Amino acid sequence: MKISGSSRKDGITFYGENYAASVQYDKKRDSYSYELYERHAEKSVQNVPMLRGLERLWNNQGVRGMLVLSAAEAVGWMLSKSRSKYVRAFGKGIIGVQYGLVAVLMYRIFGWDGEVRKFHGAEHKAIGAYEKRQGRISVQEAEEASRISRRCGTNLLVYAAATGTVIGILPLGHGTFQQVLTMGAAYELFRMPAEKCPAVKSVIDPIGDALQRKVTTREPSQRQLQAACRGLNLLLEAESGRLSEEDKKKYIKTEQRSWLDRLIG
């Protein structure tokens, strides 16, 4: 089973086939809480090249939110070029609100203290240990795993930047079409095995790895790593059907995950 994850300033969420396990740090209580949520299967085009990457991005509420904000910014810029000073003022107001919302969103996800980078490192270490063991993991196994992951979204962003640079040179018409083509092609290159395109992988992957090492991840604390391992093991118990009825009542929640958690992944 393939497990993925997403990190925020106060925790991690791990995703399996049927469940998501959320690890949440409460700063006031200085403690961690653990919750399980059922995942519902959606119609998918995962076997259709180009479209599967776009579908995966579209299913992320954060990506959809950024698209809406980008569209609002585009409208604002058009209005700011109007001959009417009132329309120009309205357009500039839209742009200001858009930047303000982005700033608030970035703070809610990442904060200022860099804890999200530590949780991101703990996420990678826990998943790396699982991929090696293919079963329940220990803190020691997670400690020995790398915090650098080739499946990280950081690397996907590098592929998108590289692909966008190449596609931007081509006379392909409207910018929206170019963006769609860029993301679809970037996802295909990102998930392609290294042996199929060694020249591309040998150049782009080290850049993403370096960004993870220097910017987007840090070595987690012992408590963060313990929490990540416990959250991932909880997910494995739920996916395997070994979770007791008592634990189901304790961990499985019927309501949706928090809006911030769902926004990230």
Side-chain angles (χ1 to χ4, degrees):
M1 178 179 64
K2 182 177 288 187
I3 292 179
S4 58
S6 61
S7 302
R8 53 193 183 280
K9 67 176 183 177
D10 58 356
I12 308 168
T13 298
F14 294 104
Y15 307 96
E17 294 178 353
N18 303 299
Y19 294 91
S22 179
V23 180
Q24 182 90 14
Y25 175 64
D26 188 326
K27 193 172 184 178
K28 293 182 178 179
R29 297 181 179 180
D30 189 28
S31 63
Y32 287 88
S33 60
Y34 305 86
E35 297 176 340
L36 280 169
Y37 298 86
E38 291 186 0
R39 301 185 71 191
H40 301 289
E42 299 177 350
K43 293 182 179 179
S44 176
V45 291
Q46 60 181 341
N47 294 322
V48 183
M50 298 294 287
L51 292 181
R52 54 192 170 194
L54 297 174
E55 180 202 38
R56 182 172 181 179
L57 291 171
W58 181 251
N59 285 338
N60 185 291
Q61 296 189 39
V63 172
R64 293 205 296 267
M66 293 304 294
L67 288 174
V68 171
L69 291 175
S70 296
E73 181 184 15
V75 172
W77 278 113
M78 286 190 295
L79 295 178
S80 68
K81 304 298 181 181
S82 172
R83 294 182 178 180
S84 169
K85 64 178 182 181
Y86 299 106
V87 175
R88 289 199 303 271
F90 181 65
K92 291 178 181 178
I94 292 176
I95 295 172
V97 169
Q98 185 260 346
Y99 284 135
L101 289 173
V102 170
V104 170
L105 181 60
M106 292 299 100
Y107 169 74
R108 290 298 303 274
I109 295 174
F110 300 108
W112 303 112
D113 55 9
E115 287 301 295
V116 66
R117 297 169 63 193
K118 293 183 180 181
F119 279 120
H120 197 185
E123 171 204 328
H124 284 184
K125 280 177 165 289
I127 293 176
Y130 164 76
E131 289 176 341
K132 183 177 180 179
R133 184 176 177 79
Q134 291 297 309
R136 288 180 59 87
I137 60 172
S138 67
V139 176
Q140 182 179 352
E141 290 168 334
E143 284 178 337
E144 295 171 354
S146 173
R147 76 171 197 268
I148 309 303
S149 170
R150 287 284 167 86
R151 293 201 290 122
C152 179
T154 302
N155 288 44
L156 176 57
L157 290 177
V158 177
Y159 276 92
T163 307
T165 301
V166 174
I167 291 178
I169 300 173
L170 304 177
L172 297 176
H174 196 273
T176 301
F177 174 73
Q178 290 189 6
Q179 292 176 5
V180 170
L181 183 61
T182 293
M183 295 313 299
Y187 182 77
E188 293 303 317
L189 286 172
F190 171 67
R191 71 192 301 274
M192 190 176 292
E195 57 270 17
K196 289 190 176 182
C197 53
V200 174
K201 293 285 186 177
S202 64
V203 173
I204 297 182
D205 280 341
I207 298 175
D209 295 349
L211 283 175
Q212 289 184 58
R213 189 172 292 108
K214 299 294 185 181
V215 181
T216 62
T217 72
R218 288 178 61 185
E219 284 296 326
S221 68
Q222 189 73 6
R223 286 189 68 193
Q224 288 171 324
L225 199 57
Q226 289 173 349
C229 291
R230 181 176 175 183
L232 192 146
N233 285 332
L234 178 62
L235 175 65
L236 293 177
E237 287 185 13
E239 291 285 355
S240 64
R242 294 196 301 266
L243 201 65
S244 67
E245 290 300 321
E246 183 179 350
D247 284 339
K248 284 183 179 180
K249 294 178 181 179
K250 180 180 178 181
Y251 292 113
I252 295 182
K253 307 299 178 182
T254 55
E255 68 271 15
Q256 286 188 323
R257 292 178 290 138
S258 70
W259 71 270
L260 183 60
D261 192 5
R262 288 182 286 118
L263 188 67
I264 299 171

